Amino acid sequence: MNEQQRVLVVGANGTVGRHVVTGLLTGGTEVLALTRDPARAAQLPDGARLVPGDLSAARTLAAAAGQADAVFLAWPLHTAEGAAEALAALTGNARRVVYLSSAAVRDVPGQEPESPGRPDAAIESLIAGSGLRHTFLRPHGFMANALRWAAEIRTSGVVRGYGGAAGLTLVDERDIAAVAVRALTEEGHDGARYALTGPASPTQAEQVRIIGEAVGRPARWEEIPRAAARQQMVDSGWPLGIVDGALDFVAARIDAPEPVTDTVRDVTGTPARTLRDWALDHAELFR
Ligand SMILES: NC(=O)c1ccc[n+]([C@@H]2O[C@H](COP(=O)([O-])OP(=O)(O)OC[C@H]3O[C@@H](n4cnc5c(N)ncnc54)[C@H](OP(=O)(O)O)[C@@H]3O)[C@@H](O)[C@H]2O)c1
């Protein structure tokens, strides 16, 4: 039974948000979709109502304010600046917020997040202090991140990167969205901090092989030095404040692969999708 009447989805055209929109509509929940660009309305599924607004300017969020019973919040900005004002505007009459946070957030007071420089912990604190009922989704890496390898798999079948031996669990963005839909529309998720993973923690080199096999284009990993990887990240626009933390994170997973959780199955009743499933469903992008 849907308790919520209307859900505002922030990041409705995003990697996770677009599946949240579809899941809510399928379940009969009314959806308001926030976007900075009204021209994107055509990309939304039928039934979602577009609401204009920019998270970085709270005054633009007036149209979205006070209209929803619950909010799915993505915060795809590099800092938490302006988040208090934006949160207050977006959650006007809402009873509940489900925040797309990150597995990097730590609950131990004083313990640094694993990706320093990210705003997720600050946004969690804001929400926790707001008095709103809330659920924090803390996904590990999205399977969609593997799309950064698509051009190399298509052209040469060789993916060059640092940390091929690092064991990383990737979670399918559709599974994150399925958990979000449950948390937005069901009772029983208040105060939860859901660590979301896929069903396994393959090394990056194994991930490339799995994708190549699934899509029918054999692919392999070729290791490059950390310094070269760092330069590539900087050249491609990674904020300087998070590059080294991201590389440290990968280095630490060479001897200690990320653990997996059963949270997707526990919350949705369906096991987390595998990387092979994901690759088969996105195969045309790798061929
Ligand atoms: N990638 C990972 O592996 C990973 C892992 C854990 C956590 N996360 C977290 O996931 C979040 C990103 O989620 P995602 O990948 O689904 O997002 P995304 O695909 O990057 O999409 C971002 C969405 O937010 C909207 N947006 C961007 N800037 C905005 C602004 N100033 N005001 C209003 N809307 C704005 C965009 O919509 P319009 O263009 O229509 O405005 C877009 O639909 C981040 O907070 C990240 O920390 C990511």
Side-chain angles (χ1 to χ4, degrees):
M1 169 92 180
N2 252 353
E3 182 204 297
Q4 307 297 344
Q5 297 303 305
R6 194 182 283 159
V7 175
L8 173 67
V9 178
V10 177
N13 289 304
T15 309
V16 175
R18 77 181 70 146
H19 298 294
V20 175
V21 171
T22 305
L24 288 169
L25 290 171
T26 303
T29 301
E30 195 179 333
V31 174
L32 302 176
L34 189 88
T35 175
R36 293 162 299 176
D37 179 5
R40 282 179 171 268
Q43 295 168 22
L44 291 170
D46 287 347
R49 183 150 65 86
L50 183 143
V51 192
D54 185 330
L55 294 171
S56 60
R59 66 190 151 67
T60 68
L61 299 173
Q67 292 210 39
D69 308 295
V71 175
F72 172 80
L73 179 67
W75 188 264
L77 311 181
H78 292 311
T79 76
E81 203 185 320
E85 295 78 8
L87 184 68
L90 291 171
T91 54
N93 296 330
R95 294 189 298 271
R96 162 187 291 186
V97 58
V98 173
Y99 171 50
L100 177 59
S101 182
S102 155
V105 177
R106 292 285 164 269
D107 289 319
V108 182
Q111 190 175 333
E112 276 288 300
E114 275 209 274
S115 299
R118 296 280 321 150
D120 313 296
I123 307 277
E124 283 197 9
S125 294
L126 265 179
I127 295 170
S130 70
L132 287 160
R133 294 159 58 190
H134 58 270
T135 307
F136 297 150
L137 310 182
R138 293 176 173 174
H140 286 247
F142 299 171
M143 287 184 182
N145 294 350
L147 291 172
R148 71 188 187 284
W149 297 331
E152 285 168 295
I153 291 177
R154 275 199 309 268
T155 54
S156 64
V158 179
V159 171
R160 303 177 75 242
Y162 166 72
L168 300 175
T169 180
L170 298 180
V171 56
D172 191 310
E173 38 283 355
R174 295 169 296 185
D175 290 332
I176 304 169
V179 172
V181 169
R182 295 287 187 140
L184 287 160
T185 59
E186 286 180 354
E187 290 303 313
H189 304 285
D190 289 353
R193 287 146 170 73
Y194 289 135
L196 303 176
T197 74
S201 237
T203 66
Q204 296 200 89
E206 286 165 350
Q207 290 171 18
V208 167
R209 183 184 51 74
I210 289 166
I211 293 169
E213 278 177 13
V215 307
R217 287 194 73 89
R220 68 178 172 83
W221 182 270
E222 188 175 292
E223 189 74 8
I224 64 172
R226 175 172 169 148
R230 185 182 191 284
Q231 193 57 50
Q232 279 179 8
M233 290 163 82
V234 172
D235 291 346
S236 66
W238 276 64
L240 278 178
I242 65 172
V243 169
D244 292 310
L247 289 165
D248 287 346
F249 175 84
V250 168
R253 296 300 170 277
I254 291 173
D255 290 325
E258 289 187 298
V260 301
T261 71
D262 288 328
T263 313
V264 169
R265 190 185 58 199
D266 292 345
V267 174
T268 67
T270 305
R273 292 173 172 88
T274 65
L275 181 60
R276 181 179 149 75
D277 294 336
W278 180 92
L280 286 168
D281 292 340
H282 297 81
E284 72 284 1
L285 300 171
F286 292 91
R287 287 184 185 136

